[in-house]
């Protein structure tokens, strides 16, 4: 992992304010993190209005319009980055809007690993979903907390209501987010050498 | 009698406020959504049938 890359939980992004660089205005907040099932690329965010009484917005912001993801805010150049048009909104409307949180993870050998409690995002020039945080995994090794991080391959397989991962993943599970980037790289290298 | 009416009004208001708070929390609740991406216009240009 290069120094410019950053591993984040998706839940760290949810609720973060969206701030414009030109006026420093707090224009919305992140509601959902949206990613593509084909290549796990993070596509953008759906939004809530600011404030407790602010409900969901029909507009979205595409990742290509995000200037930076900071510790306390997601930065966009100006309010024009929030759009009610464009490919992301069409994809969100056309899809089943499946919320991954709470979904079961099973291996391609048929073993149920647990339920997704969070998603790990590698923030980079091309951000992608690189892992799931799951609980309830009975056959997984690390951790006394019952919460582990499961790395994902470059391409995702989605099967009905469950999320599918290769059976070899159980050797690369970790309970430490700091070392998770290395686990993802080892896992993907393993898949390349064995395929 | 008056006390009973006041208590009833307070209870109804409390239920309404609680319901509003719960509904609003549910509306605002976020998640991680997976979507099926469709071919973009720029990509579609290069996918014509070859003869």
């Amino acid at each position: 992992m290069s120094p410019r890359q950053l591993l984040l939980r998706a839940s760290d992004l949810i609720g973060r304010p969206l701030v414009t660089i030109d006026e420093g205005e707090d224009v919305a907040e992140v509601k959902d993190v949206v990613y593509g099932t084909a290549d796990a690329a993070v596509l953008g965010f759906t939004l809530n209005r600011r404030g407790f009484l602010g409900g969901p917005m029909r507009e979205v912001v595409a990742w290509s319009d995000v200037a930076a993801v900071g510790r306390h805010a997601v930065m966009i150049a100006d309010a024009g980055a929030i759009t009610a048009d464009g490919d992301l909104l069409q994809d969100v409307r056309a899809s089943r809007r499946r919320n991954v949180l709470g979904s079961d993870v099973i291996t391609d050998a048929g073993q149920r690993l647990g339920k997704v409690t969070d998603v790990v995002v590698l923030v980079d020039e091309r951000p992608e979903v690189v892992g799931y945080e799951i609980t309830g995994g009975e056959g997984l090794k690390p951790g006394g907390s019952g919460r582990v991080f499961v790395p994902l391959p470059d391409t995702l397989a989605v099967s009905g209501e469950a999320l599918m991962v290769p059976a070899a993943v159980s050797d690369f599970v970790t309970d430490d987010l700091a070392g998770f980037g290395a686990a993802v790289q080892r896992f993907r290298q393993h898949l390349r050498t064995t395929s | 009698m008056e006390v009973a009416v006041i208590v009833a009004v307070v209870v109804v208001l409390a239920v309404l406020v609680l319901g509003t708070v719960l509904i609003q929390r549910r509306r605002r609740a976020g998640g991680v959504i997976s979507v099926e991406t469709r071919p973009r216009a720029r990509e579609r240009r290069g996918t014509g049938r070859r003869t």
Side-chain angles (χ1 to χ4, degrees), chain A residues 29 49-55, chain B residues 20-22 24-25 28:
Chain A
E29 66 183 45
R49 291 184 187 82
R50 290 292 284 159
F52 176 74
L53 294 175
Chain B
T20 304
V21 169
L22 291 177
Q24 190 63 5
R25 277 187 63 179
R28 289 176 57 80

Side-chain angles (χ1 to χ4, degrees), chain A residues 79-154:
Chain A
I82 297 174
T83 175
D85 196 7
D87 293 328
L88 175 60
L89 197 64
Q90 287 172 18
D91 287 338
V92 170
R93 284 182 179 159
S95 75
R96 294 163 52 204
R97 293 177 66 99
R98 172 197 181 142
N99 191 351
V100 170
L101 303 184
S103 295
D104 280 322
V105 179
I106 61 170
T107 68
D108 52 14
Q111 184 192 3
R112 180 183 171 278
L113 298 181
K115 278 194 185 302
V116 177
T117 53
D118 213 331
V119 167
V120 183
V121 176
L122 177 65
V123 178
D124 197 355
E125 285 182 10
R126 182 193 168 279
E128 62 175 320
V129 170
V130 293
Y132 299 134
E133 180 189 282
I134 64 172
T135 55
E138 292 145 18
L140 299 174
K141 284 178 285 184
S145 64
R147 184 199 67 185
V148 291
F149 296 102
V150 175
L152 295 177
D154 295 320

Side-chain angles (χ1 to χ4, degrees), chain A residues 29 32-33 35 54 90-91 100, chain B residues 28 30-33 35 38 40:
Chain A
E29 66 183 45
D32 300 301
V33 177
Y35 75 99
Q90 287 172 18
D91 287 338
V100 170
Chain B
R28 289 176 57 80
V32 182
I33 295 176
V35 299
R38 294 175 304 165
R40 304 287 185 242

Side-chain angles (χ1 to χ4, degrees), chain A residues 2 7 11 28 64 66 74 93 112 118 126 135 163 178 180:
Chain A
S2 83
L7 279 178
S11 61
S64 55
V66 171
V74 175
R93 284 182 179 159
R112 180 183 171 278
D118 213 331
R126 182 193 168 279
T135 55
L163 305 167
F180 186 61

